Amino acid sequence: MGTEASGSGPALQELVREAEISLLECKVCFERFGHRQQRRPRNLPCGHVVCLACVAALAHPRTLALECPFCRRACRGCDTSDCLPVLHLLELLGSALRPAPAAHRAAPSAPGAFTCHHVFGGWGTLVNPTGLALCPKTGRVVVAHDGRRRVKIFDSGGGCAHQFGEKGEGAQDIRYPLDVTVTNDCHVVVTDAGDRSIKVFDFFGQVKLVIGGQFSLPWGVETTPQNGVVVTDAEAGSLHLLEVDFPEGVLRRTEKLQVHLSNPRGVAVSWLTGAIAVLEHPPGLGTGACGTTVKVFSPSMQLVGQVDTFGLSLFFPSRITASAVTFDHQGNVIVADTSSQAVLCLGKPEEFPVLKPMITHGLSHPVALTFTKENSLLVLDSAAHSIKVYKADWG
């Protein structure tokens, strides 16, 4: 009896956390619903629920006409009503909501941590972004998102310089982008889950190549120092290398580098060592909770480092759910953590894990990371629909 009671604590906390993320958050602004006027949950006539602040932001100022951000059904702001089940659930859970993460976010940054110096994008400019990359020649920032044009390119100041990749059913269109990379010769490569393909564009948005029929669910994509492209296939559990003649738009060779991965998604390549990091999301067993595993392979595809959620929990006070992975310029593995809204350094693969928090506050749902040549860290925050630029505090 005592063992069952003690084991129910973590399970209950996980249930509360899942309830908050799935039911008690506005899926437009990603703020938590509440009893205060602006955060009250409102039913739209179609059945979707958003907060009152988002109803006001989406509605036309004179006619109050608005379009549901999820199903696009037209309605009027005055046709909304309080969502009583969500309000009752808020009362039922009360102070059980997010006690640990709030304390964690309030903690000061560790010495040598990164602080935010610039933010750009925002709701409307970006919509539910999923992928982030830098052009190695121009330094421009490329983002894949759910807007009408799926690829948006920003200049160094955060202004929109260009966008392309229409939302549509054509082979040259992009249905559901998951990740993006930019090659050494400035070609943009997108993984499209909608038709399970890899799509290559030049930097001005002209389609050069569509690679279909070879993947079950292409997810993460990254450029290698040799201008190859590595791609994870989440459904097939594999990692692929593509060699492409980008100017000619010709696929020269494909190679399966790994075939026994467990739901691989994110992928990163170290330009210092050539190592490849893969982020696995193996399914949970019985509890419904899914962990993550970071695996690092040498250029010859030998496993040189591995750490999972359980291993990281021995070094960090809260559960870690890695959502993105990259390498810094020294060859350290850096991950984004959606559970504690943080960015963590795991150290070099042969030293796993030497865990050091880099960013511990200011993030909501980080999904992609990349470093600039000047060693700034760009974080794609999908909940804020924005890119946040962090710089190291050396003082």
Side-chain angles (χ1 to χ4, degrees):
M1 182 76 70
T3 302
E4 292 179 0
S6 62
S8 64
L12 181 59
Q13 291 177 4
E14 185 70 21
L15 179 62
V16 170
R17 177 179 168 276
E18 289 298 325
E20 184 181 12
I21 293 174
S22 302
L23 303 175
L24 302 182
E25 262 186 7
C26 173
K27 296 305 180 185
V28 175
C29 66
F30 288 89
E31 294 288 341
R32 199 177 80 193
F33 291 126
H35 292 278
R36 292 183 179 180
Q37 186 72 6
Q38 293 300 306
R39 294 300 165 213
R40 290 184 74 83
R42 302 288 290 180
N43 287 312
L44 300 181
C46 59
H48 290 107
V49 181
V50 300
C51 70
L52 183 59
C54 288
V55 171
L58 294 169
H60 189 279
R62 290 192 299 274
T63 65
L64 299 182
L66 63 92
E67 189 179 72
C68 173
F70 308 106
C71 68
R72 306 303 182 189
R73 176 176 169 181
C75 64
R76 287 166 53 86
C78 56
D79 294 334
T80 67
S81 59
D82 276 344
C83 182
L84 295 181
V86 171
L87 289 171
H88 292 161
L89 188 56
L90 282 167
E91 292 179 359
L92 180 65
L93 294 179
S95 60
L97 293 174
R98 270 193 180 176
H104 183 248
R105 285 195 300 271
S109 296
F114 282 60
T115 56
C116 187
H117 284 250
H118 183 43
V119 178
F120 58 94
W123 172 256
T125 301
L126 293 174
V127 181
N128 301 327
T130 55
L132 172 71
L134 276 176
C135 177
K137 287 189 176 180
T138 66
R140 292 193 167 184
V141 180
V142 182
V143 179
H145 72 130
D146 198 30
R148 291 184 178 178
R149 294 184 178 179
R150 305 301 215 180
V151 177
K152 187 157 287 194
I153 300 176
F154 296 90
D155 59 32
S156 57
C160 179
H162 187 46
Q163 54 185 334
F164 61 84
E166 297 291 334
K167 176 181 180 180
E169 301 296 317
Q172 76 281 1
D173 298 328
I174 302 176
R175 300 185 188 182
Y176 191 79
L178 290 178
D179 200 6
V180 63
T181 189
V182 183
T183 65
N184 302 339
D185 51 1
C186 298
H187 286 83
V188 179
V189 184
V190 180
T191 50
D192 190 346
D195 58 5
R196 303 169 187 257
S197 69
I198 308 294
K199 293 176 179 174
V200 180
F201 302 84
D202 65 23
F203 210 63
F204 301 101
Q206 295 299 312
V207 64
K208 302 290 290 187
L209 177 65
V210 177
I211 306 172
Q214 300 189 29
F215 305 98
S216 298
L217 182 58
W219 198 296
V221 62
E222 184 68 296
T223 303
T224 71
Q226 297 77 28
N227 210 36
V229 173
V230 288
V231 181
T232 59
D233 189 327
E235 196 169 289
S238 53
L239 176 67
H240 302 252
L241 173 65
L242 310 180
E243 294 183 2
V244 179
D245 183 335
F246 291 103
E248 296 297 325
V250 176
L251 176 63
R252 297 297 186 190
R253 189 174 75 92
T254 65
E255 179 184 354
K256 283 188 180 181
L257 301 179
Q258 289 288 326
V259 293
H260 297 298
L261 300 172
S262 180
N263 194 15
R265 298 184 186 179
V267 62
V269 180
S270 171
W271 282 54
L272 179 68
T273 66
I276 299 176
V278 177
L279 188 58
E280 294 181 314
H281 290 251
L285 299 176
T287 62
C290 295
T292 51
T293 301
V294 180
K295 289 182 177 178
V296 182
F297 299 92
S298 69
S300 61
M301 295 313 295
Q302 299 298 309
L303 183 65
V304 294
Q306 174 177 328
V307 65
D308 59 13
T309 294
F310 175 76
L312 291 174
S313 69
L314 302 177
F315 297 86
F316 207 63
S318 59
R319 176 185 176 85
I320 292 176
T321 306
S323 56
V325 62
T326 192
F327 287 92
D328 67 11
H329 296 309
Q330 290 73 45
N332 294 300
V333 177
I334 314 297
V335 297
D337 173 25
T338 54
S339 291
S340 57
Q341 299 87 42
V343 175
L344 310 170
C345 174
L346 304 184
K348 292 180 170 58
E350 60 272 14
E351 302 169 348
F352 269 2
V354 182
L355 195 147
K356 176 185 176 183
M358 298 172 61
I359 301 170
T360 57
H361 62 278
L363 297 174
S364 300
H365 194 79
V367 295
L369 307 166
T370 191
F371 280 90
T372 68
K373 291 181 180 178
E374 297 77 22
N375 208 37
S376 295
L377 175 58
L378 305 188
V379 182
L380 182 63
D381 192 333
S382 68
H385 312 277
S386 62
I387 299 100
K388 299 180 178 179
V389 183
Y390 288 82
K391 296 183 180 180
D393 293 331
W394 300 107

